[in-house]
């Protein structure tokens, strides 16, 4: 699901209504010079826009966590605490300051790498999250490096054999799997591969602290597979939609008329151009992988930020919740920025329209 | 797309209202029928299931010798065995669908109403108002729905209204974007200009002139959102932030009965997993059928 969100118009998923196809054009020298000036300016504007989004996101996170119905100091110490000790802790947590001051303190801390102390564990948040961030990024990269090429491949092949039996099967299967919540996929995999049916892969990721998850290939199989099942359908569908349009374009016809083999036409001429419009969707999907990872890690007890997030929500450890929410928002902004850049760089028409 | 083409030919030519044509074309696709059958089946389970439940959902089962234990295999007393606390899996399954359905429908309605209003307003007013509105929506988009909901749950605690609110608020920008994109083109048309010219108030232009022209797009989007919201709501209750024990809820059941997988009693997990899967597959099949029909008809018009 999470791979949910998908801001793109649903029409894109249905059929070749993708963004305009990039037509290879010759670039005159003057235009190329303008392009060299245009790209840095575009990059800077996009980065600034991303920073503004992040800043507002930090406001949203902070505001959301201010809605606490009870006094956090009392919540930590419990009902039996003396008024003196509550007052002392309030002072310590900076709760006596105005909301604006508290926000500035937090933001200043974020910018200098000090995310505060975890209320549950009593140690700095950065200490708890360091290794977990690495573990989660590893899982996401692993899932992405399988699902993106796989989706591009299936998308290209089904577009080539449009309306054939393979295309129909894939379209139905991707439609169905795209809708499934990740935890349902994860649990179903546990039922089939680690408990009820077979006992091939462990259903729980037991990793010793300080040891990289890449040392546990067997434990990684089911979490990775869950994420791959969640992401591949989207990449497949957008790639197919993009390719359907490209395969009908003039230059693909031209390549065919030159007598090139279908295989060469598909992989050398059509696919490189068909990939560009998929970047945006891939980026959004990878960003939503961060949402999916929360549930998947919770199911498999994978020691990453997702499981930490759920634990922090359960124990109302707000410093950890704030830090992770901001981290996930930052990931979204960065991935979108990269997707925009990649799209601009690979599609000639957009590239030359920059002034 | 062959089935769409067939579907359009099968629609009787005549002066039917546009939405009748779209609905007919939607209905003529196999995927819509399958999706609708699945959805109706699960709706029936969720709504009428409790009337057929053999036991109370939160009662420990007894047999002549005493109470049944946890994770007992299917028997005469409990057709699908017992759950972690020795309660009837079948009865809890029959009771557990209402919450997921009700919460996700409510959240989707909330998000759709807000999103459509914001999208229409942005498309119609353009300029600074448009920019301001849509930038605000983008900020909410920077969070996966589940993450946003979890931040609120961490602050306020697991409340059902909060789940509806959180999922609704995160549905809003997604609907708003699609609404705006569709409406931008409609507000330029002559009949909107004409309505402005004779002094029709803005609210009436938005809801009586613009909105009816983008309903197909919105129906597709809202169905898609419902599918995803079912997933988010189910995930939240699986994580323990939805209905609280001893309530019967499909997401919660899966979490409670995971140990049963190791104990060789998978039914407490398998039944809700199958039900939630079918629910999301059903809604997405219907949404896809509708999308194909709407696009097919658009193309048919373009060809004329």
């Amino acid at each position: 699901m999470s791979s949910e969100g998908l801001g793109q118009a649903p029409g894109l998923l249905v059929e070749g209504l993708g963004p305009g196809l990039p037509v290879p054009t010759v670039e005159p020298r003057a235009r190329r010079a303008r392009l060299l000036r245009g790209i840095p300016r575009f990059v800077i504007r996009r980065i600034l826009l991303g920073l503004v989004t992040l800043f507002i996101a930090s406001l949203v996170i902070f505001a959301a966590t201010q809605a606490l119905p009870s006094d956090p100091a009392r919540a930590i110490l419990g009902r039996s605490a003396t008024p003196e000790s509550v007052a002392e802790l309030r002072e310590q947590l900076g709760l006596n300051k105005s909301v604006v001051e508290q926000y500035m303190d937090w933001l200043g801390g974020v910018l200098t790498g000090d995310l505060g102390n975890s209320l549950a564990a009593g140690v700095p948040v950065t200490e708890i999250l360091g290794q977990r961030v690495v573990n989660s990024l590893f899982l996401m990269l692993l899932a992405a490096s399988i699902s993106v090429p796989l989706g591009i491949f299936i998308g290209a092949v089904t577009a080539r054999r449009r309306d054939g039996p393979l295309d129909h099967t894939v379209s139905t299967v991707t439609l169905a799997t795209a809708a499934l919540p990740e935890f349902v996929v994860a649990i179903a995999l546990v039922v089939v591969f680690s408990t009820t049916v077979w006992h091939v892969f462990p259903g729980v990721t037991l990793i010793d602290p300080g040891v990289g998850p890449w040392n546990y290939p067997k434990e990684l199989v089911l979490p990775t597979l869950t994420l791959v099942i969640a992401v591949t359908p989207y990449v497949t569908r957008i790639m197919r939609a993009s390719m359907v349009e490209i395969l009908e374009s003039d230059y693909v016809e031209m390549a065919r008329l030159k007598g090139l083999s279908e295989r060469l036409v598909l992989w050398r001429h059509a696919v490189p151009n068909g990939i560009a419009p998929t970047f945006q969707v891939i980026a959004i999907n990878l960003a939503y992988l961060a949402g999916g990872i929360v549930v998947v890690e919770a199911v498999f007890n994978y020691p990453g930020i997702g499981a930490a997030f759920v634990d922090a929500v359960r124990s109302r450890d707000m410093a950890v919740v704030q830090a992770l929410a901001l981290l996930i928002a930052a990931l979204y902004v960065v991935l979108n920025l990269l997707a925009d850049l990649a799209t601009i760089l690979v599609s000639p028409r957009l590239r030359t329209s920059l002034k | 797309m062959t089935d769409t083409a067939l579907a359009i030919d099968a629609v009787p030519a005549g002066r039917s209202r546009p939405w009748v044509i779209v609905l007919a074309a939607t209905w003529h696709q196999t995927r819509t029928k399958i999706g609708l059958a699945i959805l109706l089946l699960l709706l029936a389970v969720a709504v009428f299931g409790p009337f057929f439940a053999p036991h109370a959902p939160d009662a420990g089962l007894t047999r002549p010798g005493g109470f049944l234990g946890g994770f007992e295999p299917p028997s005469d007393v409990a057709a699908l065995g017992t759950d972690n606390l020795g309660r009837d899996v079948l009865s809890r399954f029959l009771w557990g669908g209402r919450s997921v359905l009700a919460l996700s429908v409510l959240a989707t309605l909330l998000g759709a109403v807000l999103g459509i209003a914001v999208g229409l307003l942005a498309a119609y007013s353009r300029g600074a108002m448009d920019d301001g509105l849509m930038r605000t929506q983008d900020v909410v988009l920077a969070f996966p729905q589940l993450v946003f909901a979890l931040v609120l749950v961490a602050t306020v605690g697991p409340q059902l209204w909060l789940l509806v609110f959180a999922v609704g608020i995160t549905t809003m920008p997604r609907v708003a974007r699609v609404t705006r994109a569709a409406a931008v083109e409609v507000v330029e048309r002559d009949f909107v200009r004409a309505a402005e010219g004779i002094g029709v108030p803005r609210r009436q232009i938005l809801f009586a002139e613009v909105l009816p022209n983008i309903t197909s797009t919105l129906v597709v989007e809202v169905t898609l959102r419902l599918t995803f919201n079912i997933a988010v709501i189910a995930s939240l209750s699986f994580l323990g932030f939805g209905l609280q024990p001893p309530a019967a809820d499909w997401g919660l059941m899966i979490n409670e009965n995971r140990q049963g997988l190791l104990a060789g009693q998978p039914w407490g997990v398998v039944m809700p997993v199958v039900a939630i899967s079918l629910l999301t597959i059903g809604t997405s099949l219907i949404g896809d059928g509708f999308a194909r029909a709407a696009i097919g008809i658009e193309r048919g018009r373009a060809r004329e």
Side-chain angles (χ1 to χ4, degrees), chain B residues 55-143:
Chain B
H55 302 281
D58 48 2
L61 295 184
T62 49
R63 65 158 68 95
F67 279 99
L68 268 71
F71 298 134
E72 282 201 9
S75 60
D76 291 348
V77 190
L80 290 176
T82 61
D83 75 350
N84 58 332
L85 297 178
R87 298 167 296 193
D88 183 32
V89 165
L90 179 63
S91 302
R92 288 181 69 73
F93 171 75
L94 291 173
W95 276 91
R98 291 181 169 185
S99 39
V100 181
L101 269 170
L103 292 176
S104 38
V105 167
L106 281 178
T108 309
L109 280 180
L110 176 68
V113 169
L114 292 177
I116 290 172
V118 169
L120 282 178
L121 199 59
Y124 188 70
S125 36
R126 298 295 184 87
M129 176 81 147
D130 182 12
D131 281 346
L133 279 173
M134 295 319 287
R135 293 300 304 160
T136 328
Q137 305 296 307
D138 283 352
V139 173
V140 183
L141 275 181
F143 301 97

Side-chain angles (χ1 to χ4, degrees), chain A residues 227-296:
Chain A
L227 292 174
V228 167
I229 291 176
V231 174
T232 313
Y234 293 96
V235 181
T236 305
R237 299 195 128 222
I238 188 71
M239 184 65 188
R240 179 187 175 279
S242 166
M243 288 296 292
V244 159
E245 211 167 297
I246 291 206
L247 285 173
E248 283 171 359
S249 69
D250 291 342
Y251 71 88
V252 166
E253 194 55 38
M254 181 69 192
R256 282 196 186 120
L257 290 175
K258 280 199 304 189
L260 298 181
S261 71
E262 264 309 314
R263 180 172 294 189
L264 208 59
V265 170
L266 182 66
W267 296 109
R268 292 291 288 280
H269 291 254
V271 168
N273 280 300
I275 286 179
T278 66
F279 285 155
Q280 210 76 42
V281 171
I282 291 175
I284 294 175
N285 262 289
L286 294 187
Y288 283 112
L289 254 186
I293 217 166
V294 171
V295 190
V296 173

Side-chain angles (χ1 to χ4, degrees), chain B residues 8 39 45 63 95 146 195 205 245:
Chain B
I8 293 161
L39 189 64
V45 169
R63 65 158 68 95
W95 276 91
L146 191 67
I205 292 182

Side-chain angles (χ1 to χ4, degrees), chain B residues 88-213:
Chain B
D88 183 32
V89 165
L90 179 63
S91 302
R92 288 181 69 73
F93 171 75
L94 291 173
W95 276 91
R98 291 181 169 185
S99 39
V100 181
L101 269 170
L103 292 176
S104 38
V105 167
L106 281 178
T108 309
L109 280 180
L110 176 68
V113 169
L114 292 177
I116 290 172
V118 169
L120 282 178
L121 199 59
Y124 188 70
S125 36
R126 298 295 184 87
M129 176 81 147
D130 182 12
D131 281 346
L133 279 173
M134 295 319 287
R135 293 300 304 160
T136 328
Q137 305 296 307
D138 283 352
V139 173
V140 183
L141 275 181
F143 301 97
Q145 281 188 282
L146 191 67
V147 172
F148 190 91
L150 285 176
V151 170
L152 288 181
V153 167
T155 312
V156 182
Q159 310 278 340
L160 294 187
W161 64 265
L162 186 72
L163 298 196
V164 173
F165 174 78
V167 177
I169 285 291
T170 48
T171 304
M172 168 184 69
R174 295 161 167 97
V175 176
R177 270 192 168 186
V178 173
T179 308
R180 183 185 171 283
V184 152
E185 177 251 338
V186 176
V187 296
E188 293 295 322
R189 291 199 202 150
D190 289 342
F191 63 86
V192 177
R193 294 267 169 273
E196 277 166 6
I198 58 170
V200 177
R202 185 171 70 175
R203 190 191 306 168
Q204 205 177 326
I205 292 182
L206 289 182
F207 291 101
E209 305 287 338
V210 181
L211 187 60
N213 281 288

